[in-house]
Amino acid sequence: MKRLLCLATAAATLGLAGPAWAEVTLNALFMSQAAYSEADIKAMTADFEKANPGIKVALEFVPYEALHDKIVAAAGAGADGYDVVLFDVIWPAEFATRGFLQDVTARIPADATDKIFEGAWTTVEYSGKRYGMPWILDTKYLFYNEDMLKQAGFANPPKTWAELATQARAIKDKGIVQYPLVWSWSQAEAMICDFTTLTAAHDGKFFVEGKPAFTAGGARDALAYMKQTLEDGLTNPASREYLEEDVRRVFSNGEAAFALNWTYMNALANNPAESKVAGKVKVTSAPGVEGKSGAAGVNGSMGLGIPANSPHADEAWTYIAHLTNQSVQESYSRLSLPIWKASYDNPKVAEGQEGLIAAARQSIAVMYPRPLVPAYTEVSDILQKNLHKALLGETGVDDALAAAAQRVERIR
Amino acid sequence: MFGRRQIREKWMLLVPAMAVLGVITLAPLVNTLWLSFTDAKITAIATPVNLIGLENYIYALTDPDFQDALWRTLYFTGVSVGLEVALGIAIALLLNQEFRGRTLLRALIILPWAVPTIVNAVAWRLIYHPEYGALNSLLFQLGFISSYQSWIGSPALALNMVILADVWKNFPLVVYVALAALQTVPGDLLKAAAIEGAGPWKRFCAITLPWIAGPLLVVVVLRTIEAFRVFDIVYAMTGGGPADSTKTASFYVYQEYFNYLRSGSGASYAVLIAGISAVLILAYYAAARRQDQGGRA
């Protein structure tokens, strides 16, 4: 009996101390803008911790612009680096060739492949392997102020970019708003996303057989269109120093009729606390070009991966599986839409955002990738600088693109 | 002369300081120099590092964009340090006068310097905002501009606007150094000069300025080094845009390292920038020395 008591005491002690020994703290890196809000991510994480008592998650939020460098810099931190990182669709090629992310192909259930959109998978794939789970399935949509369109005599939003320019011209001429269009055209990745959307609409190509192909065809037409809207006074000239949040503010302030932005703007531009035009904002797919495309989109998705130096890969995967789980994604679908095809038929997801879901069905099918090359960051920097020169009127469209192509050839 | 024991003691006292310097300054410096001659890359996969001689330096120096960035950085350094010194001395002279509220003003003037650079950059970005910025509002209401301007969105203006923000943040340092130095200028000398008929400007140039030149040189050297490797304020305000018009030389170090993951190439840019800073500083000291000798002769 005494012995039994002794054992029971020992077991109780062990029982108490047990979770403390086994407890693992995951360091997770997220961004603090667009898509899921910090509050959403904290709530999802709290649910996860409740369901997995041995695992705690330390969250870190940084601006999108700092995400890449944080992941790279932490690669040298050994076991003290991150266990889960949010990464952009443009980085898997680079991260895979450098060995920054773990190959998680074997962890993904085989039946997931068909249940998730193909565009989402390209976010995490490089040469046949998967380096994470897609999480944020995003593309740029066309937001429009229905009131302004009606005032100018238009019952429907534009289906083509040419039609959009015509509507914008009428809105401007009627004095409804000084600059009908607002974009995120500061010298940053945001501008490349708009450029890619237009390039896709014009059926353009960035590279053909590894050589720059953006100096002619659809990519050239895209830049020419961007420049023309500035010259015609349709685009707000301050767009050239705006990021997505500026676009959202200007549009929500009723100072623009059209804006290209990510999913998250739908909920915020229709929220009276955030927007003066709440209730008047409608969303549709980015337009196409007659004879070339019916709609356009840029693949702006993001995935969750496990850095190569994480000592807690199994726990990290449990966390990723939770965040990317269909029911979790459906519960938080106001700011970011699920990666799961079936979610789009779930009335709960569509409720109150039917317009967005309808646009998403069309846009997700046509999402166009930015150049899938390991040197993407450098290619993008070169394009940013030269496109910006053209948009600022320092060079012509052809000179700008030729200069960019020449500089791309110099990449080591 | 020192005895042998004293020499040994001297070395023993110096060793800790030298060890710390060796670890935190010399070792990284040597490592950076070595890296700059290699094709090292940032990667989590073991990859051989090859010595490639001067290739990185040739690549950097033959890049017209980097050459532009160097000139831009020199412009930034010259204008911002020049303005900071001029403004700093002028305000220090003012604060050196007797007036009511002087102590309060002396305390207040340090505030901009106490603001973290990133906070300063974000604050100025808001001030310059093309639609909601305070600068547009102020100039518009005063009637100086007829419509709102794009301050950091225009390639012709952007760098100057960043300089303005940098000057606002850093001139208090010059004020404090100049003010401390001004308090050592002998009042008798100034009075004597005034009696001899020297006007205020003459007194300033012949007595005050040479007297405070030593301490000023220190702060000018400090500010020059900092200004030449400027990065954070530009990164937060403009990210190098519009159309690269605010991209300074340090951007290349950052870009090569963290964006393009070429540590060897990044190191060569770092060495180049450090080298040019060293030349600038040597030039200051040479000029100061010449002036010093000229003064004595």
Side-chain angles (χ1 to χ4, degrees):
Chain A
M1 187 62 204
K2 207 172 181 185
R3 181 179 267 184
L4 207 68
L5 204 73
C6 215
L7 263 175
T9 320
T13 319
L14 278 173
L16 280 176
W21 291 338
E23 192 155 279
V24 164
T25 300
L26 299 174
N27 294 313
L29 180 70
F30 293 94
M31 66 170 179
S32 56
Q33 73 214 58
Y36 298 112
S37 65
E38 285 191 30
D40 281 358
I41 296 170
K42 282 177 185 160
M44 294 175 204
T45 305
D47 289 345
F48 169 76
E49 287 176 336
K50 217 179 275 171
N52 297 273
I55 311 175
K56 290 255 166 287
V57 186
L59 300 171
E60 185 177 340
F61 295 92
V62 298
Y64 169 80
E65 283 72 22
L67 206 50
H68 175 272
D69 305 347
K70 278 269 184 185
I71 296 171
V72 169
D80 297 327
Y82 297 108
D83 302 295
V84 173
V85 292
L86 175 67
F87 63 88
D88 200 1
V89 60
I90 49 188
W91 302 328
E94 178 190 32
F95 286 179
T97 49
R98 307 271 177 169
F100 290 151
L101 289 177
Q102 297 188 12
D103 173 1
V104 295
T105 318
R107 292 182 186 270
I108 297 170
D111 65 336
T113 303
D114 290 334
K115 292 182 182 168
I116 292 171
F117 285 104
E118 206 187 311
W121 285 122
T122 59
T123 311
V124 297
E125 286 172 343
Y126 183 69
S127 68
K129 287 180 182 158
R130 287 175 178 165
Y131 292 89
M133 263 303 271
W135 186 43
I136 298 168
L137 178 62
D138 217 343
T139 185
K140 285 210 168 186
Y141 295 98
L142 180 72
F143 293 89
Y144 61 96
N145 185 316
E146 201 178 26
D147 258 23
M148 291 184 184
L149 261 66
K150 277 185 184 153
Q151 279 180 56
F154 299 105
N156 292 309
K159 289 263 174 251
T160 65
W161 287 102
E163 203 185 334
L164 185 139
T166 312
Q167 295 192 358
R169 158 72 55 206
I171 290 167
K172 187 183 173 76
D173 288 348
K174 291 210 163 126
I176 297 166
V177 67
Q178 190 184 4
Y179 298 114
L181 311 181
V182 62
W183 315 73
S184 49
W185 289 352
S186 77
Q187 188 180 342
E189 191 58 36
M191 173 175 56
I192 301 300
C193 293
D194 287 3
F195 175 61
T196 304
T197 306
L198 280 157
T199 299
H202 287 88
D203 194 24
K205 296 263 179 299
F206 289 117
F207 286 87
V208 171
E209 286 166 11
K211 293 271 170 217
F214 48 73
T215 50
R220 190 212 165 272
D221 295 344
L223 181 59
Y225 182 89
M226 292 162 78
K227 196 170 156 66
Q228 193 62 45
T229 62
L230 277 164
E231 285 166 6
D232 293 346
L234 302 178
T235 285
N236 187 331
S239 295
R240 295 171 295 193
E241 55 185 285
Y242 284 166
L243 292 171
E244 291 93 334
E245 275 294 86
D246 303 294
V247 169
R248 178 171 79 82
R249 287 198 192 102
V250 170
F251 185 83
S252 299
N253 228 14
E255 290 165 18
F258 297 104
L260 211 56
N261 212 337
W262 307 105
T263 307
Y264 85 106
M265 180 158 128
N266 190 52
L268 297 178
N270 277 314
N271 175 355
E274 290 275 339
S275 165
K276 287 185 190 168
V277 294
K280 300 170 187 168
V281 181
K282 293 281 180 288
V283 59
T284 182
S285 293
V289 168
E290 209 176 336
K292 287 184 172 164
S293 60
V298 52
N299 191 347
S301 304
M302 297 180 89
L304 293 167
I306 309 171
N309 50 335
S310 165
H312 308 299
D314 291 337
E315 292 88 345
W317 185 255
T318 318
Y319 181 52
I320 292 176
H322 171 78
L323 293 182
T324 55
N325 176 288
Q326 187 172 340
S327 73
V328 172
Q329 286 215 303
E330 287 175 356
S331 315
Y332 293 91
S333 57
R334 298 296 114 172
L335 296 172
S336 185
L337 293 175
I339 53 172
W340 305 88
K341 292 175 185 170
S343 300
Y344 293 72
D345 296 322
N346 180 345
K348 264 195 190 157
V349 173
E351 197 190 331
Q353 49 181 6
E354 291 79 5
L356 177 68
I357 298 295
R361 285 182 196 280
Q362 200 175 10
S363 293
I364 290 168
V366 295
M367 288 197 311
Y368 193 73
R370 283 163 273 170
L372 299 168
V373 287
Y376 176 76
T377 315
E378 197 167 1
V379 170
S380 172
D381 280 347
I382 293 167
L383 279 172
Q384 284 169 32
K385 176 196 169 179
N386 289 290
L387 295 186
H388 219 214
K389 278 197 151 185
L391 296 179
L392 286 159
E394 292 195 339
T395 53
V397 168
D398 291 310
D399 287 346
L401 292 172
Q406 203 182 358
R407 187 63 189 74
V408 165
E409 301 273 3
R410 200 172 180 258
I411 291 178
R412 296 195 287 177
Chain B
M1 287 313 283
F2 292 107
R4 186 175 269 181
R5 225 188 89 213
Q6 278 168 315
I7 291 176
R8 207 172 59 214
E9 253 172 29
K10 207 168 70 173
W11 276 106
M12 275 169 63
L13 288 171
L14 275 174
V15 162
M18 286 172 71
V20 170
L21 264 183
V23 171
I24 66 169
T25 308
L26 197 66
L29 202 71
V30 172
N31 189 37
T32 304
L33 202 60
W34 177 78
L35 268 179
S36 74
F37 296 107
T38 69
D39 63 356
K41 288 182 177 70
I42 298 179
T43 162
I45 299 167
T47 6
V49 171
N50 304 305
L51 273 170
I52 52 168
L54 290 171
E55 210 180 295
N56 286 329
Y57 289 95
I58 293 166
Y59 180 86
L61 291 169
T62 54
D63 180 358
D65 292 344
F66 182 62
Q67 291 166 10
D68 289 348
L70 279 179
W71 287 116
R72 210 174 286 133
T73 313
L74 279 174
Y75 175 83
F76 179 93
T77 308
V79 177
S80 69
V81 175
L83 283 175
E84 281 158 24
V85 170
L87 199 65
I89 295 174
I91 290 172
L93 284 170
L94 185 74
L95 291 178
N96 199 33
Q97 305 297 312
E98 299 260 358
F99 60 89
R100 270 170 73 97
R102 182 174 77 162
T103 320
L104 181 71
L105 208 59
R106 279 185 179 179
L108 281 181
I109 207 91
I110 200 75
L111 278 181
W113 196 64
V115 174
T117 309
I118 296 298
V119 177
N120 183 51
V122 173
W124 278 92
R125 204 170 68 187
L126 283 175
I127 293 171
Y128 293 149
H129 196 283
E131 318 247 347
Y132 319 117
L135 182 66
N136 269 327
S137 178
L138 177 77
L139 295 179
F140 186 77
Q141 283 171 27
L142 290 175
F144 287 118
I145 51 173
S146 56
S147 64
Y148 277 24
Q149 304 291 310
S150 172
W151 300 104
I152 48 174
S154 136
L157 276 177
L159 189 59
N160 293 312
M161 301 323 278
V162 177
I163 287 175
L164 191 64
D166 186 67
V167 169
W168 183 83
K169 177 173 161 43
N170 288 309
F171 84 90
L173 185 67
V174 185
V175 172
Y176 266 64
V177 173
L179 191 58
L182 280 173
Q183 283 161 18
T184 67
V185 179
D188 296 353
L189 205 60
L190 290 169
K191 271 182 209 147
I195 291 166
E196 296 286 335
W201 181 245
K202 174 104 201 196
R203 286 200 302 266
F204 172 74
C205 292
I207 301 168
T208 313
L209 195 58
W211 202 276
I212 63 170
L216 270 184
L217 181 71
V218 175
V219 74
V220 166
V221 167
L222 265 176
R223 283 298 309 135
T224 303
I225 300 172
E226 279 182 10
F228 196 77
R229 42 163 220 207
V230 63
F231 175 74
D232 40 8
I233 191 166
V234 187
Y235 181 77
M237 277 183 80
T238 64
D244 272 7
S245 62
T246 57
K247 197 167 168 184
T248 54
S250 290
F251 262 82
Y252 285 80
V253 183
Y254 164 75
Q255 246 180 5
E256 290 287 322
Y257 256 102
F258 293 107
N259 291 158
Y260 311 153
L261 310 179
R262 293 189 286 251
S263 38
S265 175
S268 70
Y269 284 98
V271 169
L272 283 172
I273 292 168
I276 297 170
S277 304
V279 170
L280 287 177
I281 294 153
L282 284 176
Y284 275 132
Y285 277 112
R289 208 162 168 184
R290 227 179 9 253
Q291 205 179 32
D292 210 23
Q293 282 165 350
R296 272 180 208 150

